[in-house]
Amino acid sequence: MVELKTDTSIDAMHEAGRIVGRALTAVRAAADVGVSLLELDEVAREVLREAGATSPFLGYRPSFASTPFPAVICASVNDAIVHGIPTRHRLRDGDLVSIDCGAELNGWVGDSAISFVVGTPRAADLRLIETAERALNAGIEAAVVGNRIGDIAHAVGSVCRSAGYGIMDGFGGHGVGRRMHEDPPVPNEGRPGRGLPLRHGMVLAIEPMLIAGGRDDYHTSPDGWTLRTNDGSRAAHTEHTVAITETGPRILTAR
């Protein structure tokens, strides 16, 4: 069931989203060659602590997971697409890093992700990240009253496919509210004019996940969480929590 949020609730979600934005900004600033993924997780934890927020990631255990998630960020490097567990791995020059983070404040959740390169970037990685951001922006532009979920999916997928990238099969965005994952699902590829109508008060996480090699398949790492490209190519992940309003899409996790 899709819950329509009141304007007051959307404002409250914006407060949670602002914390997520601050956490991602702090993690991006701290990320450098030689810094460990666990150290980046601690940076995000400190932002949440200072804001009086908690993490919807920490201890989260969906049906596909054999163990609860042990961190407040997902830190996915190079061929890891999403759900990377922060470890003692120290970043190397040229690593492509995707960070996903959430915050819960006063019962409301914000969820967002960024991708970036540490040190000297490859041109191909910059193109991949730029395309992921364009796909996200296209999805947000389609998130207007009167459109449908398929319009968002088509906007995201068209940008990804036209650039020759793969789209992670079976994963996409989702509703956000009192819980991190709510109805409706928001695919990263679809047909325009199809699916659930978009209404004022719907809040969605729109999150393109691009695979550089052009294939859509992936596998789960032995840790039970990290999803990696099957062809070993690199991946990028971007995400914003967005409210559908009569005046247009409102980004609740702006950085």
Side-chain angles (χ1 to χ4, degrees), residues 127-198:
R127 178 174 176 268
L128 178 67
I129 293 168
E130 187 271 336
T131 305
E133 291 173 346
R134 281 198 294 112
L136 175 59
N137 289 335
I140 293 171
E141 289 176 3
V144 297
V145 173
N147 273 359
R148 293 176 176 266
I149 291 291
D151 293 303
I152 297 175
H154 178 72
V156 171
S158 295
V159 172
C160 299
R161 293 301 189 192
S162 64
Y165 296 129
I167 297 172
M168 191 179 183
D169 189 25
F171 280 81
H174 49 86
V176 186
R178 293 286 186 182
R179 293 175 292 112
M180 180 168 57
H181 292 129
E182 296 184 351
D183 289 332
V186 185
N188 282 329
E189 192 167 32
R191 296 176 64 183
R194 299 298 181 92
L196 191 71
L198 302 180

Side-chain angles (χ1 to χ4, degrees), residues 2-85:
V2 177
E3 177 193 1
L4 297 180
K5 279 69 175 179
T6 66
D7 292 345
T8 300
S9 296
I10 291 172
D11 287 341
M13 292 188 70
H14 186 217
E15 292 306 309
R18 290 174 62 187
I19 296 167
V20 177
R22 290 204 299 271
L24 288 173
T25 298
V27 168
R28 176 67 185 91
D32 203 352
V33 175
V35 175
S36 76
L37 300 180
L38 279 175
E39 288 170 330
L40 297 183
D41 185 67
E42 184 53 41
V43 169
R45 286 177 189 253
E46 182 59 26
V47 173
L48 266 58
R49 279 194 294 264
E50 290 180 353
T54 58
S55 170
F57 289 21
L58 185 62
Y60 182 59
R61 187 179 179 182
S63 59
F64 66 79
S66 59
T67 58
F69 196 75
V72 305
I73 62 170
C74 296
S76 307
V77 181
N78 296 333
D79 67 324
I81 312 167
V82 290
H83 301 165
I85 295 176

Side-chain angles (χ1 to χ4, degrees), residues 96-117:
L96 194 166
V97 184
S98 296
I99 302 292
D100 194 353
C101 184
E104 183 174 348
L105 183 71
N106 298 323
W108 295 103
V109 173
D111 186 12
S112 185
I114 57 173
S115 289
F116 55 86
V117 177

